[in-house]
Amino acid sequence: LHDALPIFAATSVGMYRSLNAGATWSLVLNGNYVDAEYRPGDTTRVYAVNGGTFYRSTNGGASFTAITISAGSMNTNRLSMAVTPANDNCIYIMASANNNGFGGLYRSTNGGTNFTLMSSTPNIMDWSTNGSGTGGQGWYDLAIDASPTNSNEIIVGGVNSWKSNNGGSTWRSEEHTSELQSLSSI
């Protein structure tokens, strides 16, 4: 067990790290955390997010530093993130706004040193399939993943699914309305 990689538990009472395959745990960050990711191919770099802050560790999660995502107020209530082996310096941060709608998609191309707002419209967290409404379920339905072979291809899941092929600058709805309509006619 002494050669096991650190594992992390993102919990509502803190970020915990285990150095012995989960036999014991140490609190490394206080707060309510929803996601933790290793930098692809590098177990010394660990990223974590909570309601509105991105954290980066360069020492295997022994300690973390808060990194500012946006120069302005992000006005968020939850963050989710994605990394990709297609570009190990690329990190995506999906933000749910305080109204639970789309708070923005942020991307770092330098390992989390700084972030750029890629888009904040349409409201891809909304209940509508075209993103024209307000609000949403971003407090609950908020998932993002990046392709392992193309760092510009990302999928976001909320009430509906959305896809971007250009790093989050524009979005295409991936909802399943036609499949649901076919099923309802059976």
Side-chain angles (χ1 to χ4, degrees):
L1 291 177
H2 68 291
D3 291 335
L5 291 174
I7 56 175
F8 295 87
T11 77
S12 62
V13 294
M15 178 67 64
Y16 288 85
R17 179 174 83 145
S18 175
L19 299 174
N20 54 14
T24 60
W25 294 87
S26 312
L27 177 67
V28 291
L29 281 173
N30 286 310
N32 183 1
Y33 292 87
V34 294
D35 201 357
E37 304 276 347
Y38 275 114
R39 178 183 183 186
D42 180 0
T43 58
T44 64
R45 183 82 50 105
V46 183
Y47 310 119
V49 291
N50 66 10
T53 306
F54 170 77
Y55 292 88
R56 181 177 64 190
S57 172
T58 58
N59 58 10
S63 62
F64 286 82
T65 302
I67 306 292
T68 301
I69 297 173
S70 173
S73 172
M74 285 183 54
N75 200 23
T76 66
N77 66 6
R78 184 170 173 198
L79 302 177
S80 189
M81 74 177 145
V83 297
T84 172
N87 178 347
D88 63 3
N89 282 312
C90 185
I91 305 165
Y92 288 102
I93 303 287
M94 180 72 173
S96 168
N98 282 338
N99 71 351
N100 298 309
F102 186 35
L105 179 85
Y106 297 83
R107 179 176 70 179
S108 174
T109 56
N110 55 15
T113 300
N114 53 38
F115 288 84
T116 301
L117 176 64
M118 299 303 291
S119 62
S120 58
T121 60
N123 182 7
I124 61 177
M125 293 289 104
D126 179 39
W127 294 276
S128 71
T129 57
N130 64 6
S132 63
T134 60
Q137 284 187 209
W139 63 273
Y140 181 75
D141 297 325
L142 186 64
I144 182 170
D145 203 4
S147 165
T149 58
N150 178 354
S151 65
N152 286 311
E153 184 179 311
I154 52 178
I155 298 278
V156 168
V159 175
N160 297 295
S161 297
W162 294 78
K163 183 175 184 178
S164 175
N165 289 317
N166 56 13
S169 293
T170 60
W171 297 94
R172 179 181 76 236
S173 177
E174 294 288 310
E175 49 83 25
H176 303 288
T177 303
S178 60
E179 292 175 23
L180 292 174
Q181 288 172 346
S182 297
L183 291 173
S184 65
S185 64
I186 297 177

